[in-house]
Amino acid sequence: MSGATSPPPRRRRMSRAERERQMLDVAEEVFGDRGYQAASMDEIAERCGVSKPMLYEYFGSKDGLLLACITRSKAELLDVTQKAMAGATAPEDILWRGMVAYFSFIDAHSKSFDMLLREPFAASPQTLEAIEATRRQQSTLIAGVLTTFAPSAPRDAVEAFTEIIIGASERLAQWCTHRPEVSAEDAARYMTDFCWNGLSLYVSAP
C-alpha cells in the first residue's frame, strides 16, 4: 500500500457578491488608513488577492470604489438605526436607541468616517451627492422622531432642529474618534440631552 498523501482540498471559489464584499471591506480600511488621495488601487488589489484589472472591472475607478463603499454604508446605517428604533415606544427611547445605533455604527467605521470629513472635496460630485443622500436619509428619520417628540413644534422648528442634530452628530462623532474613552452610549446621551433641552420649549407638560 503506497504512502502517498491526499492532495490538499481545493479552496472554494468566492461568488461575485462575496468578492465584492471583500473588496469593499478592504477598500474602506485602506481609505481610512491612507486617506482618499493617498490610497492606491494597487494596494487594495494586493490586499484582496486579486488583480488591479479585476478591481476596475467591478468598480470602474477609485472614485467608483469609494462611491460603492459610501452606498453600502448608507444602506447599513439605515438598517441598523431603523431596527434599533423599531423596538421602542416612548419618543425619548426612540431617540435614544437611534442615537446609540448611529454612534455605534460610526465607531465601527471611524477611520473611513474621519477620512470623509477630512477630505470632503477630494472625490467626485457623484460621491459628494452620495454623502448628502446619507445625511438626507438620516434627516428623514430624525424629523419623524422630533415630530413625535414635540407634535406642537412648528415645521420650521423641526427642520431646523433636524439640521442642527445632523451637523452636531457628525462633529460629535468626529470628536469621539480621537477619544476612545467616550463610548457610543456616552455620545448618544450627550445628543439626547441636547435634543431634549432644545425641544422642551415645544413639549407640553403632562
Side-chain angles (χ1 to χ4, degrees):
M1 188 172 181
S2 69
T5 59
S6 301
R10 295 178 62 183
R11 294 179 62 184
R12 185 178 67 85
R13 185 175 181 179
M14 281 188 181
S15 68
R16 183 177 180 87
E18 290 171 329
R19 178 65 75 187
E20 183 173 320
R21 185 163 55 250
Q22 179 208 27
M23 290 175 175
L24 292 175
D25 288 342
V26 171
E28 183 178 327
E29 183 178 338
V30 173
F31 285 138
D33 288 341
R34 304 273 187 258
Y36 176 76
Q37 297 282 29
S40 74
M41 296 289 271
D42 289 294
E43 180 179 1
I44 295 169
E46 183 179 351
R47 287 203 199 182
C48 289
V50 302
S51 66
K52 189 163 72 168
M54 178 180 285
L55 204 57
Y56 279 99
E57 178 187 337
Y58 273 67
F59 302 104
S61 64
K62 185 168 79 168
D63 192 70
L65 182 54
L66 177 61
L67 179 59
C69 288
I70 295 170
T71 300
R72 182 178 69 161
S73 291
K74 175 175 176 283
E76 290 177 346
L77 179 58
L78 179 62
D79 183 59
V80 298
T81 49
Q82 283 185 327
K83 285 180 178 176
M85 294 162 68
T89 53
E92 298 93 331
D93 194 30
I94 295 172
L95 187 61
W96 162 253
R97 290 179 183 225
M99 288 296 179
V100 171
Y102 172 84
F103 286 110
S104 295
F105 183 87
I106 297 301
D107 184 56
H109 301 266
S110 58
K111 287 185 178 181
S112 54
F113 173 80
D114 193 47
M115 179 272 297
L116 289 172
L117 295 184
R118 286 198 320 269
E119 303 182 58
F121 302 110
S124 71
Q126 290 83 1
T127 302
L128 296 178
E129 169 55 28
I131 296 172
E132 280 303 310
T134 304
R135 291 188 177 110
R136 290 195 299 270
Q137 165 187 280
Q138 297 308 112
S139 294
T140 300
L141 285 177
I142 291 171
V145 173
L146 297 188
T147 300
T148 303
F149 212 165
S152 64
R155 179 178 177 180
D156 285 351
V158 171
E159 291 181 358
F161 274 109
T162 297
E163 292 301 313
I164 291 168
I165 291 168
I166 289 293
S169 293
E170 287 187 5
R171 293 297 302 177
L172 181 58
Q174 191 176 30
W175 177 77
C176 290
T177 60
H178 305 291
R179 289 165 178 79
E181 72 279 5
V182 180
S183 68
E185 288 76 12
D186 292 332
R189 178 57 60 199
Y190 290 139
M191 282 304 305
T192 51
D193 287 348
F194 171 79
C195 294
W196 174 252
N197 289 330
L199 285 168
S200 61
L201 178 65
Y202 301 104
V203 177
S204 301

